[in-house]
Amino acid sequence: MTLKRSVGFAVVVAVAVVATARYAMTVPLLWALLIALPAAVLTLAGCLLAGTFDADWTAAPDPPSATVTLHATFLTERLERSAIDQYRFASRVQPRLRRVAQSVLGQDLDTPHARERLGTELHRLLTATDAQLPPPKTFAVLMRRLEEL
């Protein structure tokens, strides 16, 4: 739920509590407001947290027909998540790509020779701490370059 809708719902609950306390129980206005305040705060917190526990009703993907498709599907999902989440890219994808490049080159990536063979853009993607996942087409070109080594 959005913040605006949550606040609106909390205000409606507070007004209902004040009206009930004031007219049904003849509570003084100040006490009715004090009684309504915790109810409004709890309602606001509940509305803001309600979206966290929503069920995901999207359809399950069709089962892949081959192992290669399965692997490609998982890789695509991981890369999509990594494009959004910088921490995920730096902690999961980048170290794996770095290991692949090190095994292909047979040496550490911090050497000038490795930097020259990989190219500036691919070397930065593999070694920079603030590197971000490039757009899919650029990433595909960089991975082809790595395969060709």
Side-chain angles (χ1 to χ4, degrees), residues 9-25 32 36 39:
F9 193 61
V11 168
V12 168
V13 168
V15 168
V17 169
V18 167
T20 302
R22 186 86 173 113
Y23 298 110
M25 296 182 231

Side-chain angles (χ1 to χ4, degrees), residues 33-141:
L33 289 173
L34 288 174
I35 292 169
L37 185 63
V41 170
L42 287 174
T43 302
L44 179 64
C47 288
L48 290 176
L49 292 175
T52 307
F53 305 109
D54 283 347
D56 183 14
W57 295 105
T58 57
D62 293 333
S65 59
T67 326
V68 175
T69 307
L70 181 65
H71 181 67
T73 303
F74 286 137
L75 181 60
T76 303
E77 288 176 10
R78 288 180 180 166
L79 289 175
E80 284 177 358
R81 287 188 215 134
S82 297
I84 298 168
D85 186 6
Q86 173 62 27
Y87 175 76
R88 185 180 191 90
F89 173 73
S91 65
R92 294 188 178 179
V93 176
Q94 192 180 33
R96 292 175 182 167
L97 289 175
R98 190 178 304 127
R99 281 193 300 266
V100 168
Q102 284 176 345
S103 67
V104 167
L105 293 175
Q107 62 183 14
D108 190 30
L109 298 180
D110 293 328
T111 62
H113 180 65
R115 186 175 296 135
E116 181 182 316
R117 285 186 66 193
L118 290 172
T120 308
E121 196 173 1
L122 180 56
H123 184 266
R124 175 164 168 49
L125 177 70
L126 298 173
T127 59
T129 56
D130 63 338
Q132 292 184 344
L133 193 65
K137 289 183 181 181
T138 308
F139 184 69
V141 168

